[in-house]
Amino acid sequence: MIVQMLIGDGGTLSLAELPESIQEALTGELSAIRLVDRDTVAAVAEEFANELETVGLSAPGTRDGAILALADHLSPPLAERLKAQTDQVRNGDHWPLVVDLPLDRIVEIMARESIEVCAIALSKLPVSKAAEVLQKTPGERARRITFAMSRTANISPDTVRRIGAALSHDYRRTTDVAFDKAPVQRLGAILNSTVTDTREDMLEGLGATDPEFASDVRKAIFTFKDIATRIKPTDIPNCIRAVDSEVLTTALAASLAGEDALVASAEFILANVSQRMAGQMREDAADRGNVKKSDAELAMTAVTKEIREMSDAGLITLIDPDEAEDDE
């Protein structure tokens, strides 16, 4: 009756913001009203007015409304991220947010949610992404999900919308972490800067307790020995350009007199610069003579540090050891 009085006087209501089930119920209630006497209308209006007068606080009532209300009071990065979410939500439809989730998060949905919910989620995905998700879902469960899609023909739009909102709320949340890099990257960076004996001792001990983690750490480490196998020949001139000439001479002198892996990296550097420069570098290394182990470590570390910084800056791309093995 209140809705009829408001729209009858030319007022507008944002009923579209209500769940469709409530909109449908309201339509049914309004359709059942025929004629109402004046006393009843007056009593309903008075009761409604009294209810309004007792309200002490009015809040947005929806997550999107709360985001817009608080946007100016939140940290700018968080406010922008939350606003971006509301921009993707139209008429309470959170499915665009679910569809944009990374592949591994959607695979997680397939593993954790009920078969029926998974079938609905799979139906909302673009065909190519849905195919990828199915490939990464265990066979038996994937078959049950695809079979359940046959039972989604008569599901109501409001139910699908509510499922989308729930999945968005549960799977878009991020967990605060103390470190911005993974353990492998952090330990790899530390061992990169340690002397060879310490590094090998740590890796040997780590390999005995956690071989898989030790293997990943070895891949994250880049030392002078790795130059020959993980640097593209065309990147060598750029890699050594910023290295002090005396430091480079010391590193080459030490590596040319070292073990096979060090010799290979030194020769790789010399083979990928001009012949004139390579000849001069080889003469300077020979003149440098024997190099103390501590000086050799410092010089080689300085060379590899420059290479790692170039890699981190995106100026060069290190060759992945696993990909190199696959190519062979």
Side-chain angles (χ1 to χ4, degrees), residues 61-74:
T62 64
R63 185 172 185 273
D64 294 346
I67 291 172
L68 296 176
L70 292 174
D72 293 337
H73 307 282
L74 300 173

Side-chain angles (χ1 to χ4, degrees), residues 159-174:
T159 299
V160 173
R161 184 175 286 107
R162 283 188 283 113
I163 291 173
L167 293 178
S168 174
H169 178 267
D170 289 344
Y171 291 90
R172 283 188 62 88
R173 291 182 297 179
T174 56

Side-chain angles (χ1 to χ4, degrees), residues 135 163 229 270 311:
Q135 290 174 11
I163 291 173
T229 55
L270 294 170
S311 175

Side-chain angles (χ1 to χ4, degrees), residues 208-256:
T209 56
D210 192 338
E212 184 177 351
F213 183 59
S215 175
D216 291 338
V217 172
R218 282 191 180 276
K219 295 174 187 177
I221 292 174
F222 181 86
T223 65
F224 199 90
K225 296 178 184 179
D226 299 311
I227 290 176
T229 55
R230 298 191 62 191
I231 299 293
K232 297 176 183 176
T234 52
D235 286 334
I236 286 296
N238 288 332
C239 290
I240 65 174
R241 183 172 294 123
V243 179
D244 180 82
S245 59
E246 287 295 325
V247 171
L248 182 59
T249 297
T250 300
L252 289 174
S255 57
L256 286 169

